[in-house]
Structure formats: C-alpha cells, structure tokens
Amino acid sequence: MRLQSKLTLFSALSKIILFLLLVVLLPPLIHRVALHNTDQRLLEQKEQVLRMVEEQGIENFILEGDNSAYGSYNLLKEEFISMEKVAPGLEVDSIGNSLRKVEGEVVDYRVLSLTFQIADQTYLLEIGRSIATIRESIDILQQYALIFLVVVVVLTAFVDLAFTKILLRPLLLIIRRLQRIGHPSTFQPTKLASTTTDFVYLNDTINNMMGQVQAAFLKEKEFIGNVSHELLTPVSILQNRMENLLADPDTPEHLLIKLVDNQRTLHRLKSIIQALLLISRIENEQYLKNEEVEIKMLVGEVVEEIRDRAEAREVALEMDLSDDWTLVQANESLLFTMLFNVVNNAIKYNRPGGKVILTGRLAKKGYELCVTDTGVGIAAAQLPHIFSRFKRLHAPDGESHGLGLPIVQTIAQFHRIKLSVTSEPGEGTTFCFRFPNT
C-alpha cells in the first residue's frame, strides 16, 4: 500500500474513532453543562428575588398575619417562584430535582430552596425550572453539537488529505524519477525543490548512489569491451591455426581428435566474447536505429529460421498475431537476435511433443508480443536472476553460455521495449515484449 494511502487511511480512521468517541461522551457532557447553567441561572434569579423583596418589602408578597403562600409563574417569566412562612430554625439552601403538582399534573422541576429571615420570621423561597424545558435545551444543544462535529470531521479530513498530498509531493517526484530510469546511464541528478529536509537528504543520497552506480557501470562496460576486443584477436588466430592443422594431411591422426576438441572449446570461447562485445556495443549505443521493422514479418522470419531446430526437438511452433505493428527507429538485426534467443530457449527447454506459441496484439499503450512455451518453467526464486550475466539457471548443455537472456534484455532496453516474464514450474514460461507507441 502506498504511503499516501496509509496516511489517508490513518487520518480517516482516527477521525471516525474521534467522532464515535465524541458521540458517546457528548450527551452526558452536554447534560452536565445544561444542569450547571440552570443552577447558575437559579442562583441569579434568587439574588434578583431577594433584591425585589428588599426593595418592595415582604408584605408585598405575603401579608402580615396571613399564613398563605406566594406563588407565581409570571414574576420571573421562565421559572416559578414560591414563598411561604416556615417554622423558625429551619435552614435550607440547596438545589435539586423535585416533583411538583401544577394544575393537577405532576411535573419534575429543578428547584432552588432557600430559607431567609425578616423581622424574626422565617420564610422559605423556592425557585424552580421545569426539567422538560431543560431537556428540550439539551436536545437542541446535542443536535447542534452533532452537526458541528460532522462538519469539523469532514473539513479536517479534507484538510488532512490536501496537506498529505502537498507534504508527500517531493517523495512522489523522487519515485517517479526513479521509475523512469530504464538504464543507469540515463539517470540525471537533479535538485529537489522542497522545504522538507528529509526529502532533500533522500534525493541527495539517491543522486550520490546513482552517481556511484553509473561510474561502476561505465568501468564495467569499458572493461568488458576492452577485454573482449583484446581476447577476440588471439582467439581468432588460434582458431585459424587449428583449422590449418586440421587441413594439413601430415597431421597425425591421434592429434586430430584433440584438435577438434580444442577447436570446439575455442568456438565456445569465441561465442562468449562475441556476446560480450555485442552487449558492450549495444550499451555504448554503437548500433543505429534507423529502420522500420514490421513485427509480423520479423516473427515470421524468426520462425522460419528456427523451424528445423523445433522439428528436430519435436516442438510445434504456432503463430497467432491478430494485429501488425511497425516499430520505427529500430535495428532489425538486433530485434531478430532478441526474438530468436527467446524462441530458441523456448524450444531448448521444452519437452518432446510440446509447443511454442507466439501471440501478438494491440495493447493499451503500444503492441504486445508474447512467446509462451510448455517447457520446464522457471522457479519463482530464479526469476529475478534470469537476466543476470553468467547466471546459468540450467545445467551446462555445451550450447549456451549464459548470455542469451542478458542480450535479450539489453536489446529490449536499447529499443525501450518493456520486457516481462511469468513462469510456472512444470507448466511453462511466457516472455512478453511491450513495444512502445511510435
């Protein structure tokens, strides 16, 4: 999973968890806040009533000698108030829920109770607010809080997503630049415009590492090219001398067999040197790409060239090219070698009675040519190494020298052809070439 996807997923999950947590905690919290506000309001109303009693006199509410109580729902508009005389010595100062009967209906109230004295007479003051009114306020607060919470979560999720994209943009640039590298020699070190020092350090490190890889690769190319060129001349001279000895009628017969064996060894050595030279010259771009190659015709020529070998090994060759494709700016000889090596391997490592199928069709971006065989297949652990030079995956057979597939890969890279391999041991292998758009 990509880093950006992981960060986005983590942000979304954290927001969901936070949202669920708040949904659980908000109702009791709002309920507690509403009760606290109600109690504060009752205390403020108490101070207001006491000031009214002080200013207007208690007799304005309860007449002297009258034992009835005072009650009103209009004095404080939203709360009820009651005052009555109580026995001396009673002291009350509390706030709590209490049931009161109003017009024959029992109603739950939040009631502030307070006793106070005026002229040696004790009075009980009660101010109450309906619990139903408080719950209505709580419901409204919860609805607004829930809407606000959803808006905040959605906005922060979008902000996090945008910030993550902006934050990781330099890393995506580094990754895309690395993905475009088809060959170490094509890498161009560039500066990264970013204020994030970690990404700048990563980019500089990659630049330094790729510089070292390019230097090592250049030395390897020069070494292989020089050594191959220097070895090819004496090997050719030795081969000519042996051919002369074999043609000489005075050569003793017991030496002829040894000369033939030595000539076979020299031939194999010469093939290796020529393969190394071929790779070196391709990598040094010493070949021209000035030809137009029709893929269907190229496949036909390869099949015709190798048909005798396939028949000798009892392997059937089948072609299924539904579309044709012309590759411009190509080298036909190199492309022939590339396809020939793959088909030759498909025949060599096939089973008697097996077959090799060449299929070609237009793909989404270019043209795809696949070579599928019914051979022994390649183990999954060996697939990453099949293009390594001198990495032999099969037992020596006296024919191959372990450079066939490296040549295939080098030619494919030279033409910017995307090469992929899939294989199933015991079932067969498929090589696919994705030719680019012209």
Side-chain angles (χ1 to χ4, degrees):
M1 184 182 290
R2 296 175 57 189
L3 177 60
Q4 182 176 342
S5 301
K6 282 189 174 181
L7 290 175
T8 303
L9 183 62
F10 172 77
S11 176
L13 288 176
S14 63
K15 297 292 183 303
I16 291 173
I17 293 173
L18 180 62
F19 176 77
L20 295 176
L21 190 63
L22 290 177
V23 165
V24 173
L25 294 179
L26 266 181
L29 181 63
I30 291 177
H31 181 79
R32 189 177 184 85
V33 170
L35 284 182
H36 176 74
N37 289 338
T38 300
D39 292 347
Q40 290 298 319
R41 180 176 177 82
L42 292 177
L43 290 173
E44 292 173 359
Q45 300 294 12
K46 178 196 74 175
E47 298 296 331
Q48 184 179 355
V49 170
L50 292 179
R51 281 198 301 272
M52 293 170 65
V53 170
E54 184 178 357
E55 293 171 359
Q56 301 177 14
I58 188 66
E59 61 276 6
N60 192 46
F61 300 92
I62 301 175
L63 296 177
E64 188 176 356
D66 188 358
N67 291 327
S68 61
Y70 171 81
S72 174
Y73 286 90
N74 298 320
L75 185 63
L76 300 177
K77 300 185 185 302
E78 296 182 4
E79 291 87 13
F80 82 85
I81 177 173
S82 70
M83 281 186 287
E84 61 180 329
K85 295 178 181 178
V86 295
L90 178 64
E91 293 184 359
V92 178
D93 187 4
S94 63
I95 299 177
N97 294 346
S98 177
L99 296 176
R100 297 301 166 90
K101 193 171 184 179
V102 179
E103 297 178 351
E105 182 181 356
V106 177
V107 181
D108 195 6
Y109 278 92
R110 186 75 173 171
V111 177
L112 178 148
S113 302
L114 175 70
T115 56
F116 61 95
Q117 287 187 338
I118 297 178
D120 298 332
Q121 177 61 51
T122 303
Y123 297 90
L124 174 63
L125 169 65
E126 289 187 332
I127 304 174
R129 185 179 178 85
S130 171
I131 293 296
T133 304
I134 299 173
R135 285 174 182 164
E136 184 178 350
S137 300
I138 291 174
D139 291 341
I140 294 174
L141 283 174
Q142 287 180 350
Q143 290 176 7
Y144 278 107
L146 185 61
I147 294 173
F148 177 74
L149 190 59
V150 171
V151 172
V152 168
V153 169
V154 172
L155 284 178
T156 54
F158 278 108
V159 170
D160 287 352
L161 180 61
F163 179 73
T164 301
K165 279 189 174 181
I166 295 173
L167 179 66
L168 296 182
R169 185 177 298 166
L171 181 61
L172 295 178
L173 290 175
I174 294 174
I175 294 174
R176 288 171 185 165
R177 190 155 60 91
L178 292 176
Q179 289 175 337
R180 286 197 296 266
I181 299 175
H183 194 274
S185 60
T186 62
F187 179 80
Q188 295 290 336
T190 56
K191 289 287 184 183
L192 183 68
S194 174
T195 56
T196 307
T197 55
D198 296 330
F199 293 147
V200 173
Y201 177 76
L202 175 63
N203 184 69
D204 293 342
T205 303
I206 291 174
N207 287 340
N208 293 333
M209 289 181 61
M210 289 304 298
Q212 296 176 15
V213 170
Q214 284 179 326
F217 187 77
L218 182 60
K219 288 181 181 177
E220 181 193 355
K221 283 199 307 182
E222 292 176 352
F223 176 77
I224 292 176
N226 294 334
V227 170
S228 301
H229 184 74
E230 294 298 327
L231 285 177
L232 189 60
T233 300
V235 167
S236 298
I237 294 173
L238 284 174
Q239 195 172 24
N240 290 333
R241 287 179 180 174
M242 287 187 180
E243 289 174 353
N244 292 335
L245 286 174
L246 287 172
D248 189 351
D250 296 332
T251 304
E253 187 173 352
H254 68 279
L255 292 179
L256 291 177
I257 298 177
K258 293 182 179 179
L259 286 173
V260 170
D261 291 339
N262 289 336
Q263 193 177 33
R264 188 181 298 116
T265 303
L266 276 177
H267 177 73
R268 188 163 60 250
L269 180 59
K270 190 175 182 180
S271 298
I272 294 174
I273 294 171
Q274 288 175 335
L276 289 173
L277 274 175
L278 176 62
I279 293 175
S280 177
R281 287 169 179 166
I282 296 173
E283 290 177 342
N284 289 325
E285 299 188 353
Q286 295 177 355
Y287 285 90
L288 296 176
K289 292 188 290 185
N290 56 356
E291 298 172 312
E292 292 185 358
V293 180
E294 295 181 8
I295 302 301
K296 185 177 285 188
M297 183 178 295
L298 176 70
V299 173
E301 291 175 356
V302 171
V303 169
E304 192 62 30
E305 177 76 16
I306 209 168
R307 187 177 298 280
D308 291 342
R309 180 185 290 261
E311 291 176 355
R313 290 180 177 265
E314 300 178 5
V315 175
L317 287 175
E318 298 180 7
M319 291 176 55
D320 179 19
L321 279 71
S322 57
D323 303 297
D324 197 7
W325 184 263
T326 300
L327 185 64
V328 298
Q329 295 183 341
N331 187 299
E332 184 174 4
S333 175
L334 291 178
L335 290 177
F336 183 91
T337 301
M338 178 187 74
L339 188 57
F340 184 89
N341 283 355
V342 172
V343 177
N344 186 44
N345 279 350
I347 295 172
K348 184 189 300 182
Y349 300 110
N350 217 312
R351 54 182 171 78
K355 57 184 177 182
V356 176
I357 306 171
L358 293 94
T359 57
R361 60 181 58 86
L362 292 175
K364 187 176 181 180
K365 294 181 179 179
Y367 184 85
E368 187 175 73
L369 174 67
C370 293
V371 180
T372 304
D373 65 64
T374 57
V376 296
I378 304 171
Q382 293 179 332
L383 274 178
H385 309 294
I386 62 174
F387 296 112
S388 299
R389 297 173 189 178
F390 302 109
K391 186 78 174 181
R392 188 185 295 278
L393 304 181
H394 301 278
D397 52 10
E399 296 182 7
S400 62
H401 39 66
L403 290 172
L405 290 180
I407 290 174
V408 170
Q409 186 189 44
T410 304
I411 296 175
Q413 290 175 344
F414 182 62
H415 289 86
R416 300 186 183 280
I417 299 171
K418 187 176 180 181
L419 175 60
S420 61
V421 185
T422 57
S423 185
E424 187 70 27
E427 299 292 333
T429 304
T430 297
F431 286 78
C432 286
F433 302 92
R434 179 68 65 88
F435 294 89
N437 282 322
T438 55

